[in-house]
């Protein structure tokens, strides 16, 4: 089915080996397997929940918007095995993004990628002699650093490519997708 204006929604249960893997939608895709023109929305467990809107133009990232659902949707659950409702409403060049019925963001594809908002940095435990708390903090800090690095890299690539070619697509295919960093990823829609 080729769509122009649309709403796509699903309750998504995920089981991913790594937090950067995720589940979501591809929309307004031209179907090219090698150099697609399309939009994607991926929700992942990374950083207590991370939703990324991206646009590919001739197979290259040309726009990206990062959202942290828990800023607006306190019910968003990033734990493995959890279920969240994910919805995208596309009207012209505007896409509204919802998790669990709460609007977490909006994207205007005619605008360049915004300077990304970064997640909150983990807080050092007050009892730094507690090995368990420090190990938990170190794990959170490493995940935070990985997220910041990924977000900054995605932004730099998308901004550079956006300047070369604007990724504005008015119609195309819809699909449900799973994205795997590596290891096992299961997305149940």
């Amino acid at each position: 089915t080729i769509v122009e204006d649309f709403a796509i929604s699903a309750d998504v249960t995920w089981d991913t080996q790594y937090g950067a893997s995720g589940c979501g939608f591809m929309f307004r895709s031209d179907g090219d397997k090698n150099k697609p023109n399309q939009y994607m929305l991926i929700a992942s467990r990374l950083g207590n929940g991370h939703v990324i809107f991206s646009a590919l133009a001739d197979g290259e990232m040309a726009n990206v918007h990062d959202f942290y659902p828990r800023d607006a949707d306190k019910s968003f659950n990033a734990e493995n095995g959890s279920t969240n409702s994910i919805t995208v409403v596309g009207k012209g060049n505007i896409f509204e993004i919802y998790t669990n019925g709460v609007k977490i963001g909006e994207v205007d594809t005619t605008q360049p990628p915004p300077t990304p908002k970064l997640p909150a940095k983990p807080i050092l435990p007050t009892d730094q002699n507690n090995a368990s708390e420090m190990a938990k903090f170190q794990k959170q800090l490493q995940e935070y650093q990985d997220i910041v690095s990924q977000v900054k890299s995605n932004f730099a690539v998308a901004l550079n490519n956006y300047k070369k070619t604007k990724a504005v697509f008015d119609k195309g295919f819809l699909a449900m997708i799973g994205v795997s960093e590596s290891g096992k990823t299961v997305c149940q829609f």
Side-chain angles (χ1 to χ4, degrees):
T1 302
I2 295 177
V3 299
E4 292 179 20
D5 290 350
F6 67 92
I8 186 169
S9 184
D11 289 339
V12 180
T13 303
W14 49 35
D15 180 10
T16 66
Q17 189 169 350
Y18 297 100
S21 300
C23 308
F25 306 115
M26 173 186 67
F27 41 98
R28 291 197 185 156
S29 174
D30 66 4
D32 187 318
K33 292 180 182 179
N34 297 317
K35 293 185 175 186
N37 293 300
Q38 65 190 23
Y39 301 120
M40 293 183 297
L41 185 83
I42 305 295
S44 75
R45 297 186 308 105
L46 196 62
N48 291 322
H50 189 196
V51 174
I52 301 170
F53 172 93
S54 62
L56 299 180
D58 295 323
E60 300 290 329
M61 188 178 305
N63 207 333
V64 66
H65 294 255
D66 289 287
F67 302 98
Y68 298 92
R70 291 202 42 87
D71 287 352
D73 175 9
K74 302 303 181 200
S75 70
F76 189 88
N77 189 340
E79 295 299 316
N80 233 353
S82 64
T83 301
N84 292 287
S85 174
I86 301 171
T87 303
V88 178
V89 177
K91 295 178 188 172
N93 296 320
I94 306 296
F95 294 96
E96 296 176 342
I97 301 160
Y98 298 83
T99 59
N100 302 314
V102 177
K103 185 175 179 179
I104 63 164
E106 187 172 291
V107 174
D108 179 345
T109 60
T110 65
Q111 298 301 308
T115 301
K117 177 184 172 191
L118 299 175
K121 191 172 184 176
I123 299 170
L124 188 65
T126 53
D127 182 4
Q128 296 176 22
N129 293 323
N130 183 324
S132 174
E133 288 296 312
M134 286 305 293
K136 183 178 174 184
F137 169 74
Q138 289 299 328
K139 182 179 178 193
Q140 290 172 341
L141 184 60
Q142 182 61 50
E143 187 174 275
Y144 168 81
Q145 290 167 339
D146 290 347
I147 291 171
V148 168
S149 176
Q150 177 187 6
V151 166
K152 287 181 178 180
S153 175
N154 287 348
F155 173 71
V157 168
L159 184 59
N160 185 49
N161 289 339
Y162 180 86
K163 291 175 183 176
K164 293 182 208 172
T165 177
K166 298 207 177 3
V168 178
F169 315 122
D170 59 356
K171 62 184 174 183
F173 299 103
L174 290 171
M176 296 174 205
I177 59 174
V179 177
S180 183
E181 175 186 13
S182 66
K184 179 183 173 188
T185 298
V186 176
C187 300
Q188 184 177 359
F189 294 88

